[in-house]
């Protein structure tokens, strides 16, 4: 794991926001990954010296503003997810690839469950099963991040 | 590189191997509290709408950048639309224009007559809304809400509350306005209700959106109410948001259960709520303008249907003295219509469908 420049971090965040703002069609929105969440969680675990809970929270706030939902909803869930991610952050090097996938799925799932809970409290209705689909596309995006910016687990040779 | 490495540690705190600033848990607590406060403030007060405005303006370039690929795709598609297709479209549109022109000519006459009659009855002039053409930018980024975003905002004099229609009927209502864009809550959204009237018998009711199912619900109508599957629901215009007479929905299902005094009436929106590119944003004329129209007349409520009979009495009382160009010629024609052979031609189409039913 090479240290990452702060500018790289900011740039990926901007790219994530742009993708978040992309006008998704009806079918696209069902499978759209949570770009900012995946990118921020990746940096939180990979480069904790740049990205902390505050940054992830801020990204959540950006999502709130761009979706026009209640201000603070996504920010809250992002912050909680970031905290859950930080619990095992130092032990990640011991994980193998599949354990890491499982862990990440848990994180993304937790975020979706939390936002669902908040929306239900606010009087929303229960969505159908396709609500869980973005977790899969999140995982694909996660793999892309790993390919572009490096593994989180320890290389096998050491 | 390692940001926190130079910061001084408190003497009583044991030097940590990983320096992270405040502990993650305290950070979490801080940001959770912050977002909870924000949610409460956003839900209850209007302070944060300004923040949204600034943010939306700052993000406009990024939004344009993000929607550029779609825009290019559409432009390329338009460019390669075949010559044949254009000719066909042109032909169709010309035909449609002819039909519409014919209908419009009739409308002009009827409109003039309507205004004339209304002035006779000392009623308000009909409300004719102005329209702005808007383009749908995207179908909302939040899968929970039934919101579409249009490319018209406060810079184009759009205000919250305006009605949005397409060529078939009501789509929704503008609920939030940004400088360059605005959000439309669709009539199928749970939070939106719309005052309606059954076109067949003018029965008034309120329809509520049902969310994801893309239907409207009309609650609190008794089981004995005169409503059928296939009835068309139009706006009643009582609320002052939607002009009267716009198509809203068609009744698709009526369920009557033994244990409820109310019927469950479900209807399907007529407008292509989820599939159109262009919509019209209607602007109701301001109230001062309406007062000007009825300066010297007694002020009537906007929907004066219930008060008409009262005003008819007033007008009839005055009418003896009033100088009117038409009634002397028109009334006899109406009375004589069934008797005269010419008037009988107009009456026959009404009689003909009735005759086959009787034998």
């Amino acid at each position: 794991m090479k240290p990452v420049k702060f500018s790289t971090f900011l740039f990926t965040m901007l790219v994530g926001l742009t993708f978040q703002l992309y006008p998704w069609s009806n079918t696209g929105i069902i499978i759209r990954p949570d770009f900012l969440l995946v990118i921020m969680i990746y940096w939180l675990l990979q480069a904790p010296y740049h990205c902390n809970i505050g940054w992830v929270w801020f990204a959540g706030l950006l999502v709130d503003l761009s979706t026009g939902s209640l201000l603070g909803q996504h920010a809250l869930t992002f912050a909680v997810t970031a905290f859950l991610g930080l619990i095992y952050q130092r032990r990640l090097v011991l994980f193998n690839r599949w354990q890491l996938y499982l862990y990440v799925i848990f994180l993304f799932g937790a975020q979706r469950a939390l936002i669902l809970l908040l929306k239900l409290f606010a009087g929303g209705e229960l969505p159908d099963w396709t609500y869980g689909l973005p977790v899969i596309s999140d995982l694909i995006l996660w793999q892309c991040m790993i390919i572009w910016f490096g593994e989180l687990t320890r290389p096998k040779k050491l | 590189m390692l940001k926190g490495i130079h910061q001084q540690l408190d003497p009583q705190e044991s030097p940590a191997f990983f320096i992270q600033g405040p502990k993650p848990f305290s950070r979490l607590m801080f940001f959770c509290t912050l977002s909870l406060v924000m949610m409460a403030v956003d839900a209850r007060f209007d302070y944060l709408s300004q923040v949204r405005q600034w943010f939306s303006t700052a993000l406009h370039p990024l939004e344009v950048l993000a929607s550029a690929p779609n825009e290019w795709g559409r432009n390329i598609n338009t460019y390669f639309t075949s010559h044949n297709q254009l000719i066909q479209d042109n032909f169709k549109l010309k035909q449609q224009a002819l039909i519409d022109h014919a209908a419009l000519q009739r409308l002009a006459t009827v409109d003039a007559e309507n205004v004339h009659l209304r002035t006779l009855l000392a009623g308000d002039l009909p409300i004719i809304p102005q329209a702005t053409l808007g383009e749908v930018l995207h179908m909302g980024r939040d899968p929970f809400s039934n919101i579409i975003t249009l490319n018209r905002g406060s810079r184009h004099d759009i205000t919250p509350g305006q009605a949005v229609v397409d060529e078939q009927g009501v789509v929704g209502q503008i609920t939030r306005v940004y400088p360059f864009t605005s959000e439309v809550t669709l009539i199928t959204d749970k939070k939106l209700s719309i005052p309606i009237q059954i076109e067949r018998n003018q029965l008034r009711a309120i329809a509520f959106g049902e969310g994801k199912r893309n239907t409207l619900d009309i609650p609190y109508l008794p089981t004995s109410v005169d409503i059928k599957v296939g009835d068309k629901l139009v706006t009643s215009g009582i609320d002052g948001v939607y002009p009267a007479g716009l198509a809203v929905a068609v009744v698709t299902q009526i369920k009557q259960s033994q244990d409820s005094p109310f019927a469950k009436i479900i209807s399907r929106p007529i407008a292509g709520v989820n599939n159109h590119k262009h919509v019209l944003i209607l602007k109701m004329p301001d109230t001062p303008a309406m007062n000007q129209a009825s300066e010297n007349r007694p002020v009537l409520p906007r929907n004066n249907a219930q008060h008409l009979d009262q005003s008819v009495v007033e007008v009839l009382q005055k009418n003896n003295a009033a100088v009117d160009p038409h009634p002397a010629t028109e009334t006899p024609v109406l009375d004589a219509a069934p008797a005269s052979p010419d008037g009988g031609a107009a009456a026959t189409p009404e009689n003909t469908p009735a005759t086959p039913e009787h034998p």
Side-chain angles (χ1 to χ4, degrees):
Chain A
M1 274 200 289
K2 274 191 288 181
V4 186
K5 279 191 217 146
F6 188 64
S7 54
T8 317
F9 161 64
L10 274 189
F11 180 72
T12 51
M13 198 172 148
L14 202 69
V15 171
L17 184 60
T18 314
F19 273 101
Q20 202 85 38
L21 289 173
Y22 181 83
W24 293 89
S25 62
N26 262 342
T27 43
I29 206 151
I30 296 174
I31 53 160
R32 177 192 68 169
D34 304 307
F35 290 99
L36 270 178
L37 179 75
V38 176
I39 290 169
M40 294 314 276
I41 293 292
Y42 177 81
W43 288 128
L44 184 82
L45 301 180
Q46 212 258 27
Y49 40 89
H50 287 321
C51 183
N52 54 35
I53 291 184
W55 275 103
V56 184
W57 177 84
F58 178 67
L61 205 63
L62 289 180
V63 173
D64 271 331
L65 286 164
S66 65
T67 51
S69 54
L70 196 62
L71 213 59
Q73 263 183 351
H74 283 90
L76 178 67
T77 58
F78 273 40
V80 173
T81 315
F83 177 73
L84 292 177
L86 275 185
I87 294 176
Y88 277 95
Q89 192 257 328
R90 289 166 201 169
R91 271 170 268 182
L92 283 182
V93 280
L94 303 175
F95 282 15
N96 66 33
R97 171 179 299 217
W98 301 108
Q99 281 169 326
L100 185 67
Y101 281 155
L102 220 60
Y103 184 53
V104 165
I105 286 178
F106 159 73
L107 286 183
F108 298 150
Q111 193 268 342
R112 291 196 88 71
L114 273 171
I115 201 86
L116 176 64
L117 203 66
L118 283 178
K119 294 274 186 185
L120 287 181
F121 275 139
E125 54 188 313
L126 208 63
D128 49 359
W129 63 274
T130 51
Y131 180 70
L133 277 182
V135 174
I136 297 166
S137 47
D138 279 349
L139 205 64
I140 295 168
L141 183 63
W142 176 264
Q143 191 54 42
C144 293
M145 288 297 283
I146 283 182
I147 291 167
W148 288 328
F149 298 103
E151 293 268 2
L152 287 177
T153 48
R154 185 165 43 179
K156 278 206 178 111
K157 279 184 182 174
L158 280 172
Chain B
M1 178 188 99
L2 290 170
K3 249 175 150 185
I5 206 150
H6 301 300
Q7 77 187 33
Q8 283 208 324
L9 295 165
D10 290 336
Q12 67 268 33
E13 194 182 313
S14 60
F17 188 73
F18 296 96
I19 298 161
Q20 287 186 323
K23 285 270 186 308
F25 188 72
S26 44
R27 262 186 217 267
L28 173 75
M29 281 301 114
F30 173 73
F31 285 114
C32 276
T33 322
L34 198 62
S35 33
L36 282 175
V37 168
M38 278 174 101
M39 276 159 74
V41 169
D42 195 30
R44 296 278 160 217
F45 310 105
D46 206 24
Y47 302 141
L48 292 173
S49 62
Q50 201 59 40
V51 178
R52 281 183 198 277
Q53 300 281 331
W54 292 332
F55 177 80
S56 166
T57 321
L59 227 62
H60 190 63
L62 211 58
E63 209 158 17
V64 170
L65 184 76
S67 53
N70 255 14
E71 202 70 29
W72 292 335
R74 210 176 308 135
N75 285 348
I76 289 168
N77 202 9
T78 321
Y79 186 79
F80 285 110
T81 310
S82 68
H83 185 69
N84 255 349
Q85 181 73 36
L86 283 178
I87 290 176
Q88 272 182 9
D89 277 358
N90 208 344
F91 181 70
K92 262 189 219 159
L93 287 174
K94 268 185 184 156
Q95 267 192 332
Q96 190 59 42
L98 259 175
I99 297 168
D100 289 349
H101 269 303
L104 269 178
Q105 275 178 8
R106 240 191 87 249
L107 179 75
T109 331
V110 172
D111 224 19
E113 196 179 309
N114 190 15
V115 169
H116 177 70
L117 288 174
R118 273 177 189 257
T119 37
L120 270 184
L121 294 174
D124 276 342
L125 291 176
I127 302 157
I128 298 156
Q130 298 169 301
T132 318
L133 187 69
E135 200 182 306
V136 179
L137 280 181
H138 59 83
M139 307 296 293
R141 302 189 179 101
D142 190 356
F144 280 97
S145 52
N146 297 326
I147 281 177
I148 55 176
T149 304
L150 302 183
N151 68 342
R152 291 279 179 264
S154 55
R155 290 291 173 90
H156 311 94
D157 285 339
I158 304 294
T159 48
Q162 283 182 262
V164 177
V165 299
D166 71 354
E167 69 274 16
Q168 289 158 315
V170 181
V171 173
Q173 193 181 359
I174 302 248
T175 44
R176 198 178 273 152
V177 178
Y178 299 115
F180 301 100
T181 55
S182 52
E183 281 176 11
V184 180
T185 305
L186 302 178
I187 46 171
T188 49
D189 193 276
K190 263 188 149 180
K191 287 174 199 154
L192 208 70
S193 51
I194 174 167
I196 49 125
Q197 224 171 8
I198 298 165
E199 198 182 45
R200 184 167 50 85
N201 56 9
Q202 304 289 299
L203 178 81
R204 278 198 299 271
I206 296 178
F208 294 84
E210 283 204 309
K212 276 277 166 278
R213 271 163 285 175
N214 277 331
T215 50
L216 296 171
D217 178 31
I218 310 166
Y220 318 127
L221 279 186
T223 42
S224 60
V225 76
D226 176 21
I227 189 165
K228 293 178 202 156
V229 171
D231 271 349
K232 194 174 166 191
L233 310 173
V234 298
T235 50
S236 60
I238 316 182
D239 53 350
V241 171
Y242 304 98
L246 294 174
V248 177
V250 172
V251 177
T252 52
Q253 204 180 358
I254 300 171
K255 283 186 226 160
Q256 288 171 345
S257 62
Q258 296 287 324
D259 50 345
S260 164
F262 301 116
K264 171 87 176 157
I265 301 160
I266 294 171
S267 49
R268 182 180 47 78
I270 289 175
V273 166
N274 281 326
N275 43 15
H276 35 52
K277 195 69 199 140
H278 294 278
V279 290
L280 282 179
I281 308 162
L282 300 182
K283 187 186 178 76
M284 299 293 268
D286 298 332
T287 17
M290 274 168 37
N291 287 345
Q292 275 173 13
S294 53
E295 261 175 346
N296 301 321
R297 301 188 204 109
V299 182
L300 289 172
R302 191 169 295 162
N303 181 28
N304 45 15
Q306 316 97 304
H307 297 258
L308 267 183
D309 36 7
Q310 197 204 329
S311 54
V312 165
V313 175
E314 285 174 19
V315 168
L316 282 177
Q317 285 168 349
K318 290 178 201 163
N319 216 16
N320 299 333
V323 184
D324 201 277
H326 296 301
T329 50
E330 274 183 9
T331 5
V333 176
L334 282 171
D335 288 342
S340 75
D342 294 356
T348 30
E350 284 178 19
N351 293 339
T352 31
T355 26
E357 283 174 20
H358 283 295

